[in-house]
Amino acid sequence: MGKTSYRITLIPGDGIGPEVIEATCRVLEATGVSFDWDVRHAGAAVAEREGTPLPDAVLDSIRANGVALKGPVTTPIGSGFRSVNVGIRKALDLYANVRPALALPGFPGAHPNVDLIVVRENTEGLYVGIEHEVIPDVAAEATRIITRRASERVVRYAFDYARRNGRHEVTAVHKANILKITDGLFLKVAREVAAAYPDIAYREMIIDAMCMQLVVQPEAYDVLVLTNLFGDIVSDLCAGLVGGLGVAPGANIGETLAVFEPVHGSAPDIAGKDIANPTATILTGALMLRHLGEREAAARVEAAVSAVAREGRITTADLRSSQPDARVVGTQAMADEIAQHLS
Ligand code: ATP
């Protein structure tokens, strides 16, 4: 029998997306795992050509393949089309956004023992896109939706993740002292779910205290579960603890579909220059390998990233200050070095 070839939807994205995706495919293919990339385009250029930044064909491809690897897609600020990233998560009901923050030796980070998993609710909260001007130029209003269903499944996902991955504790992060009704419901549901997992410890923390704790003693936390906007902000904070956006991977998980994408955006300021750090997307590729059941290949990719960082011979421009003796190389050269370090 021939080797399995995984058919994966590949969305290169905008800005630095195509560069970091190309670099990642190179590393993933070097593991020996076989891929059949189903390349689909989304974003600004597609919007000009097809009238929508997210054509149905992209969503259909993900539905058919079950798994996608995605580069960042630019979201216009203020006006223009709505976020493609949010659109994909909503259309495919990818309800949990999982962002690991693991301190690797060699990456800049004040806290060497950080090993956090941020689980962010991905479908509701302030991201429902219900906003309007109450009085033009004077007052505006946004709606925050919290439901029992979405809260329950994301908290359950956090506990199941903890169980599956040998983790010990889940912390529900909230602002129920002020948002008494919306976060009150989230917290009530979190407590109910926690009761069904007596083997996993459960804590609660108010979002502002959580931010301070994460800066002061991040190594004291394990799995965090948050509503959408708090999760967005806290996951960037956690990325900063372990080396920044250049090294932070992410995954969007639904009942049957999964879209893997780095935490960072399209970084138009550095696009097309071969200077973006591909590490975040390469580590995202490792998360995808693990999701596919290729645990050994996933561990090899993570070990190769770690080995290159630890050796400290080369670095990308974003991490130069933490590795002053390293030679600064471009996106593709960094990917080649990581591929060469695969065991
Ligand atoms: P978007 O509008 O798509 O969110 P953005 O530029 O506003 O894009 P990010 O791309 O998330 O937001 O990142 C902010 C900055 O961090 C970038 O402008 C860039 O300088 C830096 N950055 C992000 N990703 C990387 C990367 N992979 N390598 C190096 N620097 C990066």
Side-chain angles (χ1 to χ4, degrees):
M1 238 174 74
K3 253 195 320 187
T4 316
S5 184
Y6 295 103
R7 187 159 170 80
I8 307 284
T9 303
L10 189 70
I11 305 168
D14 297 322
I16 60 173
E19 300 164 64
V20 293
I21 286 287
E22 183 195 333
T24 299
C25 289
R26 190 114 43 89
V27 173
L28 292 177
E29 283 162 9
T31 62
V33 174
S34 171
F35 297 97
D36 171 15
W37 303 114
D38 180 11
V39 180
R40 302 285 168 165
H41 294 283
V46 179
E48 257 174 45
R49 266 198 324 268
E50 302 191 28
T52 168
L54 180 56
D56 285 342
V58 178
L59 297 171
D60 289 342
S61 163
I62 302 172
R63 287 188 190 103
N65 297 325
V67 178
L69 179 61
K70 174 181 166 299
V73 174
T74 308
T75 304
I77 294 177
S79 57
F81 58 79
R82 284 187 55 197
S83 166
V84 166
N85 313 313
V86 175
I88 291 177
R89 294 169 197 168
K90 271 195 174 169
L92 303 179
D93 201 21
L94 305 173
Y95 65 87
N97 185 206
V98 185
R99 296 176 168 185
L102 172 65
L104 288 174
F107 288 155
H111 301 277
N113 299 319
V114 177
D115 184 4
L116 289 159
I117 303 291
V118 181
V119 179
R120 162 188 175 191
E121 200 291 319
N122 225 2
T123 62
E124 56 176 28
L126 272 166
Y127 283 68
V128 290
I130 307 173
E131 263 199 321
H132 65 270
E133 288 181 316
V134 179
I135 306 168
D137 273 347
V138 176
E141 187 175 75
T143 301
R144 180 172 192 255
I145 305 278
I146 299 291
T147 64
R148 166 172 282 279
R149 176 173 177 265
S151 302
E152 187 178 322
R153 64 183 179 172
V154 77
V155 176
R156 198 172 289 288
Y157 180 86
F159 275 95
D160 284 339
Y161 183 99
R163 240 184 212 169
R164 265 200 322 276
N165 293 281
R167 303 238 164 203
H168 306 293
E169 184 182 80
V170 172
T171 303
V173 186
H174 65 94
K175 189 76 184 174
N177 51 338
I178 301 297
L179 301 167
K180 290 184 192 300
I181 297 176
T182 49
D183 265 4
L185 176 59
F186 174 72
L187 209 52
K188 180 166 185 266
V189 173
R191 286 173 192 168
E192 289 169 12
V193 172
Y197 294 81
D199 49 320
I200 307 287
Y202 171 67
R203 275 209 254 198
E204 293 168 355
M205 179 109 0
I206 293 182
I207 178 71
D208 38 338
M210 185 79 251
C211 288
M212 195 198 68
Q213 284 296 316
L214 285 171
V215 172
V216 174
Q217 50 162 1
E219 62 284 345
Y221 296 87
D222 192 352
V223 178
L224 311 180
V225 61
L226 309 93
T227 52
N228 208 338
L229 181 63
F230 292 162
D232 183 32
I233 296 166
V234 166
S235 56
D236 270 29
L237 188 162
C238 292
L241 292 172
V242 297
L245 289 172
V247 300
N252 298 291
I253 308 284
E255 296 297 344
T256 57
L257 308 176
V259 174
F260 293 82
E261 62 181 336
V263 172
H264 64 72
S266 60
D269 54 330
I270 56 168
K273 298 179 181 161
D274 191 42
I275 57 175
N277 188 348
T279 305
T281 312
I282 291 169
L283 290 173
T284 298
L287 296 181
M288 183 183 82
L289 283 171
R290 196 164 285 118
H291 176 85
L292 294 170
E294 298 285 349
R295 286 184 168 261
E296 195 206 321
R300 285 168 59 220
V301 169
E302 286 160 353
V305 167
S306 197
V308 171
R310 204 172 42 241
E311 278 175 19
R313 276 192 320 112
I314 65 162
T315 188
T316 45
D318 56 319
L319 301 184
R320 185 191 343 225
S321 58
S322 70
Q323 297 187 313
D325 299 330
R327 184 166 56 90
V328 174
V329 299
T331 310
Q332 306 310 326
M334 178 52 102
D336 288 341
E337 182 80 359
I338 291 170
Q340 278 159 21
H341 279 70
L342 286 168
S343 57

